[in-house]
Amino acid sequence: MPKSSKEALDWLLAGNERYAAEQQEYPNQSITARLTLATRQNPFATILSCSDSRVPSEIIFDQGLGDLFIVRTAGHVVNGLVLASIEFAVYALNVPLIVVLGHQHCGAVTAVLKDEPLPGYLPELVDYLRPAVQ
């Protein structure tokens, strides 16, 4: 398990290379790993990513259960709860690396660009994203 931010980033990049080459190892997914995780977690990286179903961090970085602390919101929106989640990973779990993972064709960003009326709580999401898009 990586201890430094450099080692953690190297692990993520190596996992992404395996994923891109279709040579995934699917680490830490055994029954033994699952039983160990029942009592503790020790992720080596925190990833803030979009909720988009096309970018699941554990899969694209070829990592297993307990390896990554993932915080996902539509459009990578960051508010107090998101920051508190990231702080929890850093302070309580001693995670050495924080990654903000972007992707193309984000539906939330597209909604801001279209500037059309939206139902429910979606306008709140758009309000968070609008300054970044402008």
Side-chain angles (χ1 to χ4, degrees):
M1 187 67 61
K3 299 296 181 202
S4 71
S5 58
K6 167 102 173 71
E7 290 174 357
L9 183 59
D10 289 345
W11 272 43
L12 288 178
L13 294 174
N16 185 249
E17 287 176 12
R18 289 191 305 272
Y19 169 76
E22 297 184 355
Q23 297 177 345
Q24 297 94 319
E25 295 175 0
Y26 306 104
N28 298 325
Q29 296 182 29
S30 68
I31 213 125
T32 303
R34 291 194 310 257
L35 291 173
T36 300
L37 289 170
T39 58
R40 65 175 173 79
Q41 62 174 316
N42 188 29
F44 69 84
T46 296
I47 300 181
L48 169 62
S49 68
C50 185
S51 297
D52 192 302
S53 64
R54 298 168 291 182
V55 287
S57 297
E58 293 88 348
I59 293 174
I60 65 170
F61 290 117
D62 191 28
Q63 300 302 316
L65 302 171
D67 292 336
L68 304 175
F69 190 89
I70 309 296
V71 181
R72 295 178 77 167
T73 64
H76 304 86
V77 168
V78 176
N79 62 17
L81 293 173
V82 171
L83 288 174
S85 297
I86 294 169
E87 287 177 346
F88 175 79
V90 171
Y91 296 121
L93 303 175
N94 298 309
V95 175
L97 178 69
I98 299 170
V99 173
V100 178
L101 177 64
H103 71 98
Q104 295 177 327
H105 310 294
C106 180
V109 173
T110 300
V112 175
L113 294 172
K114 285 184 178 179
D115 199 28
E116 297 172 349
L118 297 167
Y121 287 96
L122 291 173
E124 187 174 337
L125 173 68
V126 168
D127 288 344
Y128 272 101
L129 291 169
R130 188 170 282 116
V133 171
Q134 291 173 346

